[in-house]
Each structure stands twice: as structure tokens, then as C-alpha cells.
């Protein structure tokens, strides 16, 4: 004999809903536990994103700060380098001027007795050297002894050379020189005047000697010759 229990169908439906609800709750709990375990929880991902954004912002700010520091350092180095180059050029110029002043001083010391003695014009240490086959550079110091007025005159340069096997004398400034060219050979000084310049020679000229003359109103007041 079989005994069967009979439940009303509304009670069965309620029981089924409770079972399904409980099973769904368990499934959701297991799903959340699985996401927590694997690191895919929405709450954690959001927090990590916030942390990552903060880290990126911090690193970006630090990079910008370092970049600014590096750029400033490079600018300072460039300025210092430019200043050093400029100072180096100024030192070279000062050294050159100092050497010339020392040479002038040596000339004055050598001629000091004449400075208060006989009046006269002298040429000191005429030198010349070829810069190129057609460029001859000369230099000299022209001095006036005594206590006379300013000397006003001209310099004339004679270059003894050979061209095509024949001796010739090249005169500077030449007879056909312009007024501007002749101005470079003018003299006007109280005690001394340094004279130095480059002469352009004809192609094939072989220089043997150079002679400098100091002229006053066309009259020779002093002259000196230097052999090459």
C-alpha cells in the first residue's frame, strides 16, 4: 500500500520560488567570490584605475620637472660656452695688443736719449714677410725725436723684385693710385706711428728687398731697407 501526500499547488509554487531564489543567491555569491579571487572585481578595478591615474600624473609631473631642469642646465652651459669663447677671443686680442705695446715700449726705451735731444724722423725695425706668393706684409715704427709739432707726411714703399728674370722696382702707392689708396700711406703723429699693411704683388714677382721712405712735402726725411 502506498501513502501519497498531497500539497496544494500554491504551496508548491512558493517552495519552488524559494529554492530558485536561494540557488540564485548562492550562484551570485560564487560568481563574486570568483571575481575577487581572479582580481576582476569591479570595485578593485576602479580603485586600481584611480591609483594608476595618480601614478601616471605623478610620473608625468616628475618627468616635466626633470625636463625643465635639464633644459635650464643646457641653457646655462650654452651661455657659459659662448662666454668662454668670447673671453678667449678677447684674451687673444689683448695679448696681441700687449705684444705691440711691449714692442713700442722697447723702441721708446732704445731711443729715449733722442726723445729730448736732436729732432728728427727715424724708422725702427722695418720687417716684411710673404703671406702668399702675391701678398707681402710689412710693418715698422716711425718715430720723431725732440719736442717738435706733429709730423705730417707720407710713407712710400719700394719693393725690389725680379720678374721673368729681370730686376724691377714696385712702388707703393703707385703713380696712378686713387686718393683713397694714398690715404693708407699718410702720416700724422706727435711721437710715433705704427705702420703695417699688406701689399699685393704681380704674379711671378720674386721679392729681394723692401725699402721704406718717410716723405715730408716730397722730401725724404728717413729711409730704411730690409732684405727678405
Amino acid at each position: 500500500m502506498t501513502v501519497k501526500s498531497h500539497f496544494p499547488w500554491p504551496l508548491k509554487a512558493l517552495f519552488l520560488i524559494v529554492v530558485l531564489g536561494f540557488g540564485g543567491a548562492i550562484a551570485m555569491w560564487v560568481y563574486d567570490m570568483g571575481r575577487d579571487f581572479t582580481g576582476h572585481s569591479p570595485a578593485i578595478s576602479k580603485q586600481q584605475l584611480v591609483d594608476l591615474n595618480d601614478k601616471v600624473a605623478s610620473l608625468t609631473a616628475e618627468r616635466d620637472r626633470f625636463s625643465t631642469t635639464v633644459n635650464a642646465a643646457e641653457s646655462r652651459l650654452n651661455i657659459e660656452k659662448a662666454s668662454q669663447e668670447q673671453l678667449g677671443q678677447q684674451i687673444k686680442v689683448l695679448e696681441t695688443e700687449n705684444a705691440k705695446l711691449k714692442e713700442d715700449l722697447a723702441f721708446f726705451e732704445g731711443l729715449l736719449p733722442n726723445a729730448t735731444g736732436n729732432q728728427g724722423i727715424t724708422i725702427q725695425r722695418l720687417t716684411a714677410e710673404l703671406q702668399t706668393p702675391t701678398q707681402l706684409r710689412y710693418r715698422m715704427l716711425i718715430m720723431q725725436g725732440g719736442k717738435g709739432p706733429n709730423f705730417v707726411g707720407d710713407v712710400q714703399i719700394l719693393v725690389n723684385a725680379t720678374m721673368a728674370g729681370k730686376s724691377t722696382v714696385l712702388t707703393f702707392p703707385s703713380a696712378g693710385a686713387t686718393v683713397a689708396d694714398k690715404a693708407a700711406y699718410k702720416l700724422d703723429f706727435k711721437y710715433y706711428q705704427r705702420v703695417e699693411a699688406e701689399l699685393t704683388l704681380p704674379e711671378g714677382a720674386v721679392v729681394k728687398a723692401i725699402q721704406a721712405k718717410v716723405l715730408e712735402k716730397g722730401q725724404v726725411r728717413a729711409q730704411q731697407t730690409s732684405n727678405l
Side-chain angles (χ1 to χ4, degrees), residues 78-137:
N78 291 333
I79 293 174
E80 291 177 358
K81 184 178 179 180
S83 299
Q84 289 177 355
E85 291 178 353
Q86 185 176 4
L87 287 175
Q89 294 176 355
Q90 292 177 351
I91 289 174
K92 290 181 179 179
V93 172
L94 291 175
E95 288 177 347
T96 301
E97 293 179 353
N98 187 43
K100 291 181 179 180
L101 289 175
K102 286 183 178 180
E103 185 176 352
D104 292 348
L105 180 60
F107 290 154
F108 275 119
E109 289 176 346
L111 298 175
L112 188 59
N114 293 331
T116 56
N118 297 329
Q119 295 185 6
I121 302 297
T122 58
I123 299 174
Q124 297 295 321
R125 294 188 183 180
L126 171 64
T127 60
E129 59 180 345
L130 286 169
Q131 303 293 317
T132 68
T134 59
Q135 295 293 322
L136 178 66
R137 184 170 187 83

Side-chain angles (χ1 to χ4, degrees), residues 2 9 17-18 27 79 82 104 109 116 122 126 130 134 142 149-150 153-154 162 169 172 192 199 202:
T2 302
W9 69 266
I17 291 173
V18 171
I79 293 174
D104 292 348
E109 289 176 346
T116 56
T122 58
L126 171 64
L130 286 169
T134 59
I142 302 174
N150 275 26
D154 303 274
T162 58
V169 177
F172 300 89
Y192 77 99
L199 305 175

Side-chain angles (χ1 to χ4, degrees), residues 58-91:
S58 176
L59 291 175
T60 301
E62 187 173 2
R63 181 208 62 189
D64 293 342
R65 185 172 65 256
F66 286 154
S67 179
T68 301
T69 302
V70 170
N71 291 336
E74 288 180 351
S75 298
R76 288 196 297 271
L77 288 176
N78 291 333
I79 293 174
E80 291 177 358
K81 184 178 179 180
S83 299
Q84 289 177 355
E85 291 178 353
Q86 185 176 4
L87 287 175
Q89 294 176 355
Q90 292 177 351
I91 289 174

